[in-house]
Amino acid sequence: MSSRTIDESEIETPVYDPIPQYPPPPKKLKPARKQVKPGDVNKTETVQTGKEYNIWYNKWAGGDREDSYSNKVKSQTRCNVRKDSGLTRADMTGMKYCCLFFARGCCPYGWECEYRHVLPDIVNTLPDTSKDCFARDKFSDYRDDMGGVGSFNRQNRTLYIGRIKETGTGPETEEVVVRHFREWGTIERIRVLQYRSVAFVTYVSELSAQFAKEAMACQSLDNDEILNVRWATEDPNPTQKVLEKRRLQELGKEAIQARMDPRIVDAMRMVRALEDGVILDEEGNLPEDQDEEGENGPTSKRRRLEIEKGPSLVPAEPPASNGILNTDALESLRYFAEIRKKNGSAPPVQKRAQPPPTGLGLGGYGSDEDD
């Protein structure tokens, strides 16, 4: 049974109704408060279950899996955006990255912190795209358990949320997940897998997803569970792959247009208009009659400039060339020949260079022969 290939032009971009962030962050920031005091958080070391400690996965090699409940402890702190957001030293030094401990709700420095105590700015891009919003270096690939910082080879805006305790129907569980995860940014779409205790949350910005992943790690919703928050794997649906590719292309186009000088754009438009013979108005745009009429209509969409009557230097239909030179090269030679003929100057005649003498060059000397 042959599979039908999907035509990208046939796929329509869906229009999602985004879920706005709530509660909104404070408009007027005050100096950030200290979320915890020294000694409030009891840090416990990981119980040794193996012989070697893997610093990549932050676990003992050969021990319990990370999915096991025995290795997960509920977080003692949680960030409150309304109360904890504020000004820090980063607002004076120009630091653009957020505080990791602020996202986890356990920063003891407050306004003395060197990082920002606000949600990431989704409008302005970060100085280095190879780092996340907490200034941690990304890697070329994801970890096997899809945890950690993430990869710089793919823009991931979707989080995997596991271990959800479902006490109601699917819409009720979705309402609970939305209420807790909309605190960290605007949600584009959400999908709950009922009876599997799993949900997928897709944010509008990747920065919001990075912040939410750290803020909701080992947190609970409404039923005192311990959430398992990771990066979602790539959607195998071909339609979603096409939509994601189209979205990235639009973002790249907008970024290029934002960085280009509008004067250069206007100059390029004028040059193309002169090449095509299009008449532009005073503002450099196409006239209304050319915008409304089609190319086959009574008034052409691109009206050509009429060439003055007289001897034409370039023929309208260049003959095809089967020789070494192509048609454009032959037309250029004819064009310059007509210019020289019009100016009355004959083309310069190149003298053929004499071939260099062969042999040893001893013809001027005497020889043994009589002749």
Side-chain angles (χ1 to χ4, degrees), residues 24-191:
K27 297 182 180 179
K28 188 176 181 181
L29 297 178
K30 298 180 180 179
R33 72 184 187 96
K34 297 181 180 180
Q35 294 175 304
V36 294
K37 296 180 181 179
D40 289 350
V41 180
N42 297 325
K43 184 177 180 181
T44 58
E45 296 183 358
T46 306
V47 180
Q48 182 174 353
T49 57
K51 296 182 179 180
E52 297 179 355
Y53 187 78
N54 193 327
I55 61 175
W56 175 259
Y57 292 98
N58 295 325
K59 57 180 292 187
W60 289 97
D64 297 331
R65 292 182 56 197
E66 190 163 345
D67 284 339
S68 177
Y69 280 92
S70 60
N71 277 350
K72 288 296 181 182
V73 180
K74 184 179 179 181
S75 178
Q76 304 177 36
T77 58
R78 179 167 175 172
C79 177
N80 190 326
V81 179
R82 296 285 295 179
K83 295 181 180 180
D84 297 338
S85 297
L87 301 174
T88 60
R89 291 181 177 177
D91 295 282
M92 295 182 291
T93 59
M95 170 64 68
K96 301 297 183 181
Y97 298 98
C98 300
C99 177
L100 176 62
F101 300 99
F102 161 74
R104 297 174 178 174
C106 58
C107 182
Y109 296 105
W111 63 272
E112 297 179 348
C113 185
E114 300 294 338
Y115 294 85
R116 302 186 63 186
H117 277 209
V118 291
L119 293 178
D121 187 5
I122 63 175
V123 178
N124 300 324
T125 57
L126 295 177
D128 191 355
T129 56
S130 64
K131 299 178 181 293
D132 66 350
C133 65
F134 304 108
R136 299 180 299 180
D137 292 327
K138 296 181 181 180
F139 299 93
S140 60
D141 197 3
Y142 289 93
R143 296 188 342 188
D144 294 339
D145 58 354
M146 296 303 291
V149 180
S151 172
F152 53 77
N153 288 326
R154 182 166 69 94
Q155 188 182 43
N156 199 342
R157 301 177 295 132
T158 305
L159 297 179
Y160 165 90
I161 297 97
R163 302 177 185 166
I164 302 175
K165 288 186 179 180
E166 303 182 50
T167 57
T169 61
E172 293 177 356
T173 305
E174 180 178 344
E175 188 273 333
V176 173
V177 175
V178 168
R179 176 160 44 85
H180 284 270
F181 278 85
R182 69 187 301 185
E183 300 180 15
W184 323 113
T186 303
I187 298 176
E188 181 180 285
R189 63 182 182 273
I190 183 172
R191 182 187 178 190

Side-chain angles (χ1 to χ4, degrees), residues 197-240:
S197 303
V198 172
F200 294 92
V201 178
T202 302
Y203 286 90
V204 174
S205 174
E206 184 185 15
L207 301 179
S208 300
Q210 295 171 0
F211 194 95
K213 179 180 178 298
E214 295 296 336
M216 294 300 296
C218 297
Q219 298 289 346
S220 61
L221 299 180
D222 292 345
N223 300 308
D224 199 24
E225 66 266 50
I226 302 177
L227 295 179
N228 179 20
V229 184
R230 303 181 182 181
W231 292 112
T233 56
E234 188 176 3
D235 195 341
N237 189 356
T239 303
Q240 291 296 330

Side-chain angles (χ1 to χ4, degrees), residues 185-305:
T186 303
I187 298 176
E188 181 180 285
R189 63 182 182 273
I190 183 172
R191 182 187 178 190
V192 176
L193 303 182
Q194 195 176 6
Y195 308 119
R196 296 184 62 179
S197 303
V198 172
F200 294 92
V201 178
T202 302
Y203 286 90
V204 174
S205 174
E206 184 185 15
L207 301 179
S208 300
Q210 295 171 0
F211 194 95
K213 179 180 178 298
E214 295 296 336
M216 294 300 296
C218 297
Q219 298 289 346
S220 61
L221 299 180
D222 292 345
N223 300 308
D224 199 24
E225 66 266 50
I226 302 177
L227 295 179
N228 179 20
V229 184
R230 303 181 182 181
W231 292 112
T233 56
E234 188 176 3
D235 195 341
N237 189 356
T239 303
Q240 291 296 330
K241 291 183 178 181
V242 172
L243 294 177
E244 183 66 15
K245 177 182 176 182
R246 188 179 301 170
R247 188 187 69 86
L248 294 177
Q249 290 176 352
E250 293 177 356
L251 290 178
K253 182 179 179 180
E254 293 176 359
I256 293 174
Q257 291 179 352
R259 291 181 176 272
M260 289 184 64
D261 191 349
R263 296 175 297 179
I264 298 179
V265 178
D266 295 339
M268 292 297 297
R269 186 185 296 112
M270 296 293 293
V271 170
R272 290 184 178 179
L274 291 176
E275 291 177 351
D276 297 339
V278 181
I279 301 177
L280 303 178
D281 56 8
E282 296 180 355
E283 298 180 356
N285 300 322
L286 288 174
E288 296 181 357
D289 57 348
Q290 295 188 15
D291 289 337
E292 296 176 357
E293 299 291 342
E295 294 184 358
N296 299 326
T299 305
S300 176
K301 184 178 179 180
R302 289 178 173 261
R303 188 190 311 165
R304 301 294 179 178
L305 295 176

Side-chain angles (χ1 to χ4, degrees), residues 304-328:
R304 301 294 179 178
L305 295 176
E306 296 182 357
I307 304 176
E308 296 182 358
K309 295 182 179 181
S312 176
L313 298 180
V314 182
E317 298 181 357
S321 174
N322 297 326
I324 299 177
L325 299 178
N326 56 12
T327 306
D328 295 337

